[in-house]
């Protein structure tokens, strides 16, 4: 079975392999749901929490699934991945684990006790944040993600676009800080909102053995971190108790453009392996007493605006720019960074440790919506004469620190050069046709991905799709295991010329049904991966590791050869992240009304070929379903 190793050769645990596929569960509620009357929702409000957090305490706790049910789902999920002899061995290990006197039930009792502890809101939360993100030591480039914004034809000048975006971000930030942001809902169920506290005035800090997040007071720190030519500037967004208007912000960005000169690439340090960055941070702090204050200015900033000296045009150029840029004009430990290029194109990069993509997607949707529709006041042209100029955040850079910067830049280039990125902007159809074919758009595209992989490799391998669990207190994500006996049967059937179209279509719909069922179970905390992870966490240091965890099938079935997730936004023309394991692909996709966008990243496994096969598979499935319709309906 395949074992995954990081860039430094250190083996990643199964939990860390899982974590980097845990990117997104990005289906935001219908805007109408945000106005759903709370009297119709069966959750008690806490008016003292403010509107945003009013349901937090009344949300249910994340459940602990019945042990036998998880065992059955686990065996069902590995069956299409194993030979008959491997499956027999795995079945025995599972049966030993769940027998009445087995260790599984003892661990289950401990996990239920943890779940019922009134001091713990979510039995998984702290464990997952640490194992999946904060304790992971490879570069955050592997876990960071990006959004590529549509072009704003009214704001081609970069300072204008930066000012409009910043104005919108500050409006959203105000709602978060004041607790007035309306909660999100899954149909009528309110979702956990406390992850928004980690969006602004926050930074990840490198440390051994685990990083930690730091949150600064928004009442004391009212500045944006602006980066240009590697130099870091402090730009106040509030002066004399009044927020800067769009014209004032534009002036401040223009001043940064005028003042910036190429400086030491301090931001490159944040791209390093976390242990290397931990040591480099200590070198930075001891280089000069004033560096500690300068670093605090960086980490306490409300958010980041990166003014890049690049002009990306193609979707692939944009994806590279927003995912990683040049490795220097960023501060990768900040959770919210807006990137503005010299040609006025724009995007976003998010650090992933303390929140999933639903929060930052909502932020980006809000920003683009108010900018494109001009629903905020961007027209005030008055500029106060006494506004302080942007301030260069000065760091004393010693020879020792400069050596660390140069090493970070070299390591960054090696990491990026090892990857290849392709964008498949499929224009033949999208959500509109898929719904007319009476299919779940998400499950449909998952089958496109499965078929494309089968075309390329002649087999299916473990695939991850993130499923949101924010209906529970402090909920984050669960894994959907996209490969099923039904999906494998469908892929094999598509390569079998002896089967007619109607037989293949039947198998396709069975595969969709199986996928939708797993997603539904995972969304209510009844998946496989987080439960098995939690049980394993309760093993003592001297306890024997049960056979289920030593079985190669456990590691293999959670080695995500395909890491996937979906968001759909008409304001974006791309989003993505890296692969999870070296022999795998990261495939992000957007399903819009008339198009499907795939972002494909791998360590030179043939991302261009995968892009081709995704295009071909999308056409094959469409043609299959249309060919089996009645003639009158086939004209869809």
């Amino acid at each position: 079975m395949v074992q995954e190793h990081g860039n430094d050769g250190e083996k990643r645990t199964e939990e860390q392999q899982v974590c980097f596929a845990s990117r997104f569960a990005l289906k935001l509620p219908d805007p109408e749901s945000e106005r759903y009357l709370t009297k119709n929702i069966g959750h008690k409000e806490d008016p003292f929490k403010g509107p945003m957090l009013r349901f937090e305490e009344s949300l249910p706790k994340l459940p602990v699934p019945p042990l036998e049910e998880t065992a059955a789902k686990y065996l069902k999920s590995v069956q299409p991945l194993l030979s008959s002899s491997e499956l027999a061995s795995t079945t025995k290990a599972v049966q030993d684990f769940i027998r009445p006197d087995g260790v599984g039930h003892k661990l289950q009792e401990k996990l239920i006790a943890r779940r019922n502890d009134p001091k713990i809101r979510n039995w998984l939360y702290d464990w997952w944040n640490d194992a999946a993100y904060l304790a992971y030591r490879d570069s955050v480039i592997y876990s960071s993600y990006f959004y590529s914004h549509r072009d704003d034809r009214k704001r081609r000048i970069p300072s204008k676009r930066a000012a409009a975006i910043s104005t919108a971000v500050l409006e959203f930030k105000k709602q978060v800080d004041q607790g007035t942001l309306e909660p999100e809902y899954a149909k009528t169920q309110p979702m956990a909102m406390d992850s928004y506290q980690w969006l602004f005035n926050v930074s990840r800090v490198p440390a051994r053995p685990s990083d930690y997040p730091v949150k600064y007071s928004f009442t004391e720190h009212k500045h944006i971190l602006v980066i240009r030519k590697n130099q870091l500037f402090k730009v106040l967004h509030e002066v004399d108790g009044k927020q800067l208007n769009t014209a004032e912000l534009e002036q401040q960005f223009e001043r940064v453009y005028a003042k910036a000169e190429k400086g030491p690439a301090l931001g490159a340090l944040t791209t390093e392996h976390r242990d290397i960055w931990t040591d480099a941070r200590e070198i930075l702090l001891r280089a000069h007493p004033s560096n500690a204050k300068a670093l605090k200015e960086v980490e306490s900033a409300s958010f980041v605006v990166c003014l890049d000296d690049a002009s990306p045009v193609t979707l692939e150029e944009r994806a590279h720019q927003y995912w990683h840029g040049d490795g220097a004009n960023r501060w990768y430990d900040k959770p919210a960074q807006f990137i503005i290029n010299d040609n006025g194109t724009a995007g976003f990069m998010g650090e992933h440790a303390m929140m999933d993509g639903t929060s930052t997607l909502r932020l980006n949707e809000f920003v683009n919506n108010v900018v494109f529709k001009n629903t905020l006041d961007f027209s005030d042209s008055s500029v106060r004469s006494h506004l302080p100029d942007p301030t260069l955040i000065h760091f004393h850079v010693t020879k020792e620190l400069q050596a660390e910067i140069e090493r970070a830049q070299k390591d960054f280039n090696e990491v990026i050069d090892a990857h290849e990125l392709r964008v498949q902007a499929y224009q033949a159809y999208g959500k509109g046709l898929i719904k007319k074919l009476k299919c779940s758009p998400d499950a449909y595209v998952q089958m496109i991905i499965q078929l494309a992989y089968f075309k390329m490799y002649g087999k299916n391998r473990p695939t991850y799709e993130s499923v949101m669990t924010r209906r529970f207190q402090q909920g984050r994500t669960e894994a959907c295991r996209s490969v099923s006996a039904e999906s494998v049967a469908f892929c094999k059937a598509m390569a079998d010329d002896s089967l007619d179209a109607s037989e293949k279509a039947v198998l396709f719909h069975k595969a969709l049904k199986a996928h939708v069922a797993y997603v539904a179970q995972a969304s209510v905390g009844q998946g496989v991966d987080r439960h098995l992870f939690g049980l394993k966490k309760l093993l003592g240091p001297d306890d024997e590791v049960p056979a289920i965890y030593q079985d190669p099938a456990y590691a293999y079935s959670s080695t995500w050869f395909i890491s996937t997730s979906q968001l759909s936004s008409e304001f974006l023309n791309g989003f993505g992240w890296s692969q999870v394991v070296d022999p795998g692909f990261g495939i992000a996709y957007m399903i819009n009304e008339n198009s499907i966008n795939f972002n494909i990243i791998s360590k030179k496994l043939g991302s261009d070929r995968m892009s081709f096969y995704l295009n071909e598979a999308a056409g094959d499935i469409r043609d299959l379903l249309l060919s089996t319709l009645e003639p009158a309906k086939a004209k869809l």
Side-chain angles (χ1 to χ4, degrees):
M1 299 299 178
V2 175
Q3 298 295 323
E4 157 63 1
H5 290 73
N7 296 331
D8 55 1
E10 180 183 355
K11 181 179 178 296
R12 292 178 183 164
T13 67
E14 291 89 77
E15 292 85 357
Q16 289 169 338
Q17 293 173 25
V18 171
C19 80
F20 283 100
S22 304
R23 305 282 199 256
F24 304 96
L26 291 177
K27 185 178 181 182
L28 288 178
D30 186 300
E32 293 300 321
S33 297
E34 296 188 4
R35 295 188 286 274
Y36 192 89
L37 295 177
T38 56
K39 66 181 181 181
N40 292 331
I41 300 171
H43 289 268
K44 183 180 178 182
E45 291 190 45
D46 184 348
F48 297 104
K49 291 283 186 179
M52 186 174 78
L53 301 177
R54 65 184 183 270
F55 297 119
E56 296 301 291
E57 299 301 324
S58 66
L59 293 176
K61 286 189 171 186
L62 184 70
V64 174
L67 184 62
E68 290 75 10
E69 289 185 12
T70 294
K73 290 175 190 172
Y74 173 65
L75 285 174
K76 185 177 180 181
S77 75
V78 300
Q79 181 269 324
L81 303 171
L82 306 177
S83 67
S84 56
S85 60
E86 289 172 329
L87 183 60
S89 176
T90 297
T91 300
K92 184 180 184 304
V94 171
Q95 289 174 342
D96 289 344
F97 187 65
I98 66 171
R99 69 174 189 263
D101 61 340
V103 67
H105 282 282
K106 296 176 183 177
L107 296 175
Q108 178 80 347
E109 290 175 3
K110 292 181 180 180
L111 192 57
I112 292 172
R114 177 178 171 87
R115 193 258 183 190
N116 293 335
D117 186 338
K119 297 178 182 178
I120 297 176
R121 295 175 57 199
N122 183 311
W123 62 262
L124 177 64
Y125 184 77
D126 289 335
W127 284 346
W128 188 251
N129 289 359
D130 186 69
Y133 301 109
L134 296 171
Y136 186 68
R137 308 319 289 160
D138 269 356
S139 169
V140 295
I141 293 171
Y142 285 102
S143 58
S144 296
Y145 56 94
F146 72 87
Y147 305 138
S148 179
H149 293 178
R150 270 175 40 197
D151 289 346
D152 185 348
R153 291 181 172 84
K154 294 182 179 179
R155 299 175 179 88
R156 300 284 193 182
I157 299 172
S159 60
K160 286 185 178 296
R161 188 149 199 201
I165 287 174
S166 297
T167 299
V169 175
L170 289 168
E171 178 61 28
F172 191 88
K173 180 181 185 296
K174 186 187 305 179
Q175 295 180 41
V176 172
D177 292 343
Q178 297 176 353
T180 60
L181 186 69
E182 180 65 16
E184 295 150 27
Y185 301 89
K187 294 184 180 179
T188 62
Q189 300 293 315
M191 294 192 288
M193 295 291 291
D194 55 2
S195 64
Y196 281 92
Q197 69 179 307
W198 299 109
L199 188 50
F200 300 112
N201 301 104
V202 168
S203 185
R204 176 173 175 162
V205 177
R208 284 192 177 91
S210 292
D211 295 354
Y212 60 91
V214 59
K215 170 76 174 178
Y216 290 89
S217 167
F218 69 87
T219 61
E220 297 176 12
H221 302 280
K222 300 182 179 182
H223 65 281
I224 303 168
L225 174 64
V226 181
I227 313 178
R228 174 70 174 175
K229 295 185 181 298
N230 306 340
Q231 289 189 310
L232 309 169
F233 292 88
K234 178 180 179 179
V235 174
L236 298 180
H237 58 71
E238 182 178 307
V239 174
D240 296 334
K242 181 183 177 183
Q243 179 179 306
L244 271 65
N245 63 32
T246 308
E248 291 172 331
L249 286 167
E250 182 180 346
Q251 182 191 74
Q252 297 295 73
F253 289 125
E254 288 174 348
R255 288 173 175 173
V256 171
Y257 277 109
K259 293 175 67 170
E261 299 177 353
K262 201 74 172 180
L266 282 158
L269 296 172
T270 63
T271 70
E272 266 289 12
H273 183 284
R274 302 309 290 180
D275 287 346
I276 296 176
W277 173 210
T278 298
D279 294 341
R281 189 174 188 270
E282 291 303 313
I283 293 172
L284 181 151
L285 289 172
R286 68 170 180 256
H288 193 276
S290 66
N291 281 359
K293 181 181 178 182
L295 187 57
K296 183 178 179 181
E297 298 280 28
V298 171
E299 294 179 342
S300 64
S302 295
F303 56 94
V304 185
V305 174
C306 305
L307 303 176
D308 282 10
D309 54 359
S311 297
V313 174
T314 70
L315 295 181
E316 288 173 359
E317 288 173 344
R318 296 174 194 228
H320 276 294
Q321 196 64 27
Y322 305 136
W323 175 37
H324 57 76
D326 65 0
N329 208 59
R330 302 279 186 278
W331 197 268
Y332 289 83
D333 287 351
K334 295 288 285 183
Q337 303 193 61
F338 291 86
I339 297 103
I340 315 296
N341 298 301
D342 281 349
N343 62 350
T345 54
F348 174 90
M349 185 181 72
E351 199 284 312
H352 200 12
M354 296 304 294
M355 73 183 76
D356 300 302
T358 44
S359 303
T360 55
L361 175 64
R362 184 173 177 185
L363 166 63
N364 280 265
E365 286 265 275
F366 176 90
V367 167
N368 281 286
N369 185 64
V370 300
V371 169
F372 281 106
K373 295 182 180 178
N374 278 307
T375 55
L376 280 179
D377 181 12
F378 300 105
S379 63
D380 186 354
S381 60
S382 63
V383 176
R384 286 171 280 177
S385 60
H386 65 283
L387 293 178
D389 277 355
T391 305
L392 178 66
I393 301 175
H394 179 70
F395 287 88
H396 289 266
V397 178
T398 60
K399 289 184 178 179
E400 184 182 18
L401 183 57
Q402 182 60 37
E404 292 296 322
I405 292 171
E406 291 172 4
R407 173 167 69 162
Q409 290 180 292
K410 177 178 177 293
D411 291 345
F412 168 85
N413 289 331
E414 289 177 356
V415 168
I416 297 305
D417 288 347
H419 288 80
E420 58 183 4
L421 182 155
R422 294 292 183 273
V423 176
Q424 172 57 235
Y426 186 78
Q427 301 293 320
Y429 65 94
K431 180 170 54 180
L433 177 62
I434 296 172
K435 286 188 172 181
K436 287 180 180 178
L437 292 170
K438 300 189 183 305
C439 297
S440 158
D442 183 72
Y444 185 106
V445 175
Q446 284 286 323
M447 292 310 113
I448 291 176
I449 294 170
Q450 287 301 307
L451 181 57
Y453 194 92
F454 187 86
K455 283 171 174 284
M456 188 164 175
Y457 289 99
K459 62 170 25 176
N460 299 98
R461 289 192 176 104
T463 304
Y464 178 100
E465 180 184 10
S466 182
V467 179
M468 182 175 61
T469 56
R470 278 181 55 203
R471 68 182 64 195
F472 303 105
Q473 291 186 39
Q474 294 183 315
R476 292 198 65 170
T477 61
E478 172 61 276
C480 171
R481 296 183 164 213
S482 297
V483 176
S484 64
E486 292 84 355
S487 70
V488 171
F490 161 68
C491 291
K492 289 180 176 179
M494 290 295 285
D496 188 346
D497 293 336
S498 69
L499 297 178
D500 62 32
S502 61
E503 292 175 290
K504 295 176 181 179
V506 168
L507 292 173
F508 175 74
H509 285 290
K510 286 183 178 179
L512 289 191
K513 184 177 180 181
H515 188 84
V516 169
Y518 201 114
V519 168
Q521 292 171 344
S523 70
V524 292
Q526 300 294 322
V528 166
D529 290 271
R530 304 299 190 262
H531 187 195
L532 292 178
F533 165 77
L535 295 171
K536 188 179 181 184
K537 285 291 292 183
L538 288 166
L539 289 169
D542 299 323
D543 291 344
E544 181 180 354
V545 178
I548 187 177
Y549 295 114
Q550 298 187 57
D551 178 27
Y554 179 74
Y556 177 67
S557 68
S558 57
T559 297
W560 306 118
F561 289 84
I562 315 177
S563 161
T564 75
S565 196
Q566 182 246 140
L567 70 81
S568 298
S569 172
E570 300 294 342
F571 290 116
L572 306 179
N573 55 34
F575 95 109
W577 63 88
S578 78
Q579 78 292 339
V580 172
V581 297
D582 286 354
F585 292 88
I587 303 180
Y589 57 98
M590 298 192 302
I591 314 172
N592 291 336
E593 187 65 21
N594 298 303
S595 65
I596 309 171
N597 180 292
F598 298 94
N599 194 90
I600 307 127
I601 298 179
S602 72
K603 279 196 168 178
K604 297 188 177 177
L605 298 180
S607 294
D608 52 347
R609 290 192 172 195
M610 179 57 72
S611 177
F612 172 85
Y613 285 123
L614 287 166
N615 184 302
E616 188 174 73
D620 287 352
I621 294 175
R622 174 201 58 193
D623 294 346
L624 170 70
L625 297 185
L626 289 178
S627 72
T628 59
L629 291 177
E630 299 171 13
K633 294 181 180 178
K635 295 180 181 180
L636 292 173

